[in-house]
Amino acid sequence: MPRRGTIRFTQRSAALAIAAGLTLTTTSCAGPDRSQQPQHKTAATNAGATPSGTGPNTQQEKAPAPLADLKGQSGLALSLTSANRDRAGYLTLYATLRNTASHTTVVPAELRGTERAIVKTGQSLAGATLVDFTENKRYYVLRDTDHRPLTTTGLSTLRAGESVDVFMQFPAPPTSTTTVGFQLPLFDTATIKITG
């Protein structure tokens, strides 16, 4: 007569075999072909397998270094990420505005500039300017036909640690100009390279 321990082992083995058979049957009958799933799911799985961050996709996941990091008042910081020139004759500057303080910060009204037509359009980054040192010219944020600035608008407050992506569009300097000065009221100034 077999011992009780052997009987339990046999019952468990049988239960596991049945469960494995049901799993294989369910997968082969109802599940999609895993070889045709999008590649990004496989990449995510591989990334999860290497928590140290040394996988092949680590370089692709890193954001490019900012063109400049500027400090403002009350814990506000602005990271300029790109300055793209397009064929239509515009230069669009992309950035991230962050609140590095431990409290909610009001976005200052001075960032919109002092022009009467702009002040009427509400809070924005219309006070930003670019300086072309080669041509000795200053460029202001473009306006539409209703005097609304072509920049992020509606900024009011940022909670502690909150960030928002912003943009500002200017007339493009000549193609011979590759670096420009950037100024925004209440922030540091910077010299940046036109990236595109």
Side-chain angles (χ1 to χ4, degrees):
M1 175 175 287
R3 288 181 293 174
R4 184 174 294 180
T6 307
I7 293 172
R8 285 183 182 164
F9 178 78
T10 306
Q11 288 173 344
R12 282 187 196 151
S13 299
L16 289 173
I18 293 170
L22 288 174
T23 303
L24 289 174
T25 304
T26 304
T27 304
S28 61
C29 293
D33 182 5
R34 295 190 184 275
S35 64
Q36 296 182 10
Q37 288 186 356
Q39 287 289 351
H40 67 273
K41 290 191 176 181
T42 304
T45 303
N46 291 341
T50 54
S52 62
T54 57
N57 295 325
T58 304
Q59 294 294 335
Q60 296 174 357
E61 293 171 2
K62 288 183 180 178
L67 302 177
D69 287 314
L70 311 178
K71 290 183 180 179
Q73 294 183 352
S74 303
L76 290 178
L78 187 72
S79 292
L80 304 175
T81 53
S82 66
N84 298 328
R85 191 196 321 258
D86 63 30
R87 294 179 183 176
Y90 304 122
L91 179 71
T92 305
L93 188 61
Y94 295 96
T96 301
L97 181 65
R98 295 187 315 277
N99 179 10
T100 63
S102 58
H103 53 78
T104 297
T105 298
V106 175
V107 177
E110 289 87 349
L111 302 187
R112 68 183 172 200
T114 57
E115 293 179 48
R116 289 184 183 178
I118 292 297
V119 169
K120 293 177 182 177
T121 63
Q123 185 64 310
S124 69
L125 301 176
T129 58
L130 292 180
V131 178
D132 181 346
F133 301 113
T134 305
E135 300 290 327
N136 292 319
K137 290 183 179 179
R138 183 183 300 273
Y139 297 93
Y140 295 86
V141 171
L142 290 166
R143 280 77 163 142
D144 66 14
T145 54
D146 293 322
H147 302 289
R148 289 187 299 257
L150 300 184
T151 181
T152 303
T153 59
L155 300 169
S156 56
T157 60
L158 290 176
R159 296 187 301 273
E162 185 179 6
S163 64
V164 59
D165 292 331
V166 297
F167 80 97
M168 294 149 273
Q169 195 166 56
F170 302 88
T175 54
S176 57
T177 299
T178 57
T179 59
V180 290
F182 174 81
Q183 297 174 339
L184 181 66
L186 307 181
F187 278 83
D188 297 337
T189 59
T191 300
I192 59 173
K193 284 188 87 62
I194 297 175
T195 53

